[in-house]
Amino acid sequence: MAAPTKPTIPWKLRVTTSLLSLLLKASRRSNGTVNRRLFNLFDTQLPPNPNPIDGVTTSDVTVDATRNLWFRLFSPTTSASAATLPVVVFFHGGGFTFLSPATTRYDAFCRSLCRSINAVIVSVNYRLAPEHRYPSQNDDGFDVVKYLDENGATLGNVGKCFLAGDSSGGNTAHHVAIRVCKERLRFVRVIGLVSIEPFFGGQERVESEIRITQDPVVSLDASDWYWKAILPNGSDRDHEVVNVSGPNAVDISGLNYPKTLLVVAGFDPLKDWQRRYSEWLRKSGKDVEIIEYPKMIHGFHLFPYLPEVSQFLSHVNHFIVKQVAGS
């Protein structure tokens, strides 16, 4: 069967992503700063809710108030004890620059993930670029993992811990995984990484970036802006935070890097970078499993009315169950 030439997405999703693209473009100033007042007008957010909704309760936990580092905790109510459940530390997308765990769409996604895989979800509110550049996001992510190492026993089974993230959050999850491998933690043991359409790149323009131009959220111009927002001054896109498998990549061959589930969308301009990441993992001696949704666009997993989303959640659940059973 020939590969699809256009993404198969309903008009509702086309309208939503087009409006989001317009908002993001209007909020990204040409001088490299962000019009947060404008963006926040449209970034609808939800408070935590201790009352069960569809079998999930939520609460916000402060890690460091001085830098507004906190996480939203999603706990399923169907289990006898949350302390026996695996813990998934999740990093949201948004180009390192926008959104939070309280953003309505991410609150809903993590709630769905919690319910579908029967795990405790720790959704991290990390500092945003360009006000806070690399490695602020990675520092915040690792500090949440350290917090769980010191305080997480009452939240879930941190000995069966997963890292996960979508888009730029998938990038952060990768770098936090490396940090965890290099540090000695007492109780947290990361046994898997779920990388959902991760945001990687490099100085080179790969074929998918040039060919796939209809994605309204991760165009070349938008991607370049996000990289400039997070990179240290004077750095180019072959920096280790961008080109994770390129000339400046961290050598992970000697690390106990977790087995990775890599989710790829067929109409994601970043997919060639994601495939390079998987090849690099294998060359480094690490296990990686790839699941591709050929007809989908970047960020499809955030729209539950798409039939592929239930398949996606089933794949993630299968991966987590398998890793827990084998740990």
Side-chain angles (χ1 to χ4, degrees):
M1 182 180 295
T5 57
K6 292 183 179 180
T8 305
I9 56 176
W11 67 267
K12 181 179 179 181
L13 179 55
R14 292 181 188 277
V15 171
T16 301
T17 53
S18 295
L19 291 174
L20 175 60
S21 176
L22 289 173
L23 174 59
L24 292 170
K25 187 174 182 179
S27 302
R28 296 189 302 262
R29 296 190 178 109
S30 58
N31 65 359
T33 62
V34 171
N35 187 338
R36 296 216 177 272
R37 181 174 296 181
L38 171 63
F39 185 81
N40 291 342
L41 285 174
F42 299 93
D43 181 23
T44 56
Q45 300 199 354
L46 294 174
N49 193 338
N51 299 313
I53 298 178
D54 294 332
V56 177
T57 63
T58 58
S59 60
D60 289 348
V61 179
T62 299
V63 176
D64 184 351
T66 64
R67 52 180 154 146
N68 196 30
L69 178 58
W70 54 274
F71 61 83
R72 179 156 293 182
L73 182 70
F74 297 79
S75 301
T77 59
T78 54
S79 298
S81 174
T84 65
L85 297 178
V87 175
V88 179
V89 182
F90 178 78
F91 302 96
H92 67 82
F96 310 101
T97 307
F98 297 108
L99 309 176
S100 83
T103 295
T104 300
R105 200 164 293 278
Y106 274 110
D107 181 272
F109 173 72
C110 286
R111 186 180 295 275
S112 177
L113 193 64
C114 174
R115 183 172 56 251
S116 299
I117 66 177
N118 197 33
V120 173
I121 310 297
V122 171
S123 184
V124 179
N125 187 70
Y126 52 81
R127 288 171 290 176
L128 299 176
E131 295 89 343
H132 304 282
R133 294 176 179 268
Y134 170 88
S136 298
Q137 297 74 23
N138 300 341
D139 289 344
D140 289 352
F142 181 66
D143 285 349
V144 167
V145 175
K146 287 198 298 183
Y147 178 91
L148 295 177
D149 196 50
E150 297 166 0
N151 306 280
T154 60
L155 305 179
N157 185 353
V158 295
K160 298 184 185 298
C161 186
F162 294 80
L163 300 178
D166 69 331
S167 195
S168 59
N171 179 300
T172 300
H174 163 72
H175 291 287
V176 172
I178 292 174
R179 291 276 294 273
V180 170
C181 290
K182 292 182 175 180
E183 297 283 340
R184 292 192 174 209
L185 300 175
R186 294 181 301 165
F187 303 111
V188 168
R189 182 171 171 238
V190 175
I191 61 173
L193 171 64
V194 181
S195 188
I196 308 166
E197 305 133 56
F199 188 30
F200 300 139
Q203 279 296 102
E204 176 190 356
R205 299 299 193 192
V206 293
E207 191 270 342
S208 61
E209 288 179 305
I210 298 170
R211 179 174 55 84
I212 302 174
T213 59
Q214 59 267 56
D215 192 297
V217 178
V218 285
S219 65
L220 271 180
D221 287 345
S223 295
D224 287 352
W225 191 97
Y226 291 130
W227 291 131
K228 289 179 181 178
I230 191 177
L231 279 169
N233 290 330
S235 300
D236 65 22
R237 293 192 306 272
D238 277 336
H239 187 281
E240 65 180 54
V241 73
V242 183
N243 195 348
V244 299
S245 57
N248 300 307
V250 177
D251 181 7
I252 65 169
S253 58
L255 300 180
N256 187 27
Y257 193 89
K259 181 172 181 178
T260 300
L261 175 66
L262 176 61
V263 178
V264 177
F267 285 90
D268 185 349
L270 306 173
K271 69 177 185 178
D272 284 354
W273 288 113
Q274 296 157 5
R275 286 170 174 161
R276 287 191 183 189
Y277 170 63
S278 69
E279 293 167 2
W280 173 75
L281 287 176
R282 289 194 177 103
K283 289 178 181 177
S284 300
K286 310 307 172 187
D287 290 333
V288 58
E289 175 184 348
I290 303 178
I291 295 179
E292 183 163 352
Y293 298 87
K295 301 178 181 180
M296 291 294 98
I297 62 171
H298 186 87
F300 79 93
H301 58 282
L302 296 174
F303 301 92
Y305 49 80
L306 295 173
E308 285 82 0
V309 174
S310 61
Q311 300 170 26
F312 159 80
L313 291 171
S314 177
H315 283 140
V316 173
N317 180 60
H318 178 76
F319 174 78
I320 287 178
V321 168
K322 185 177 178 181
Q323 290 305 109
V324 168
S327 64

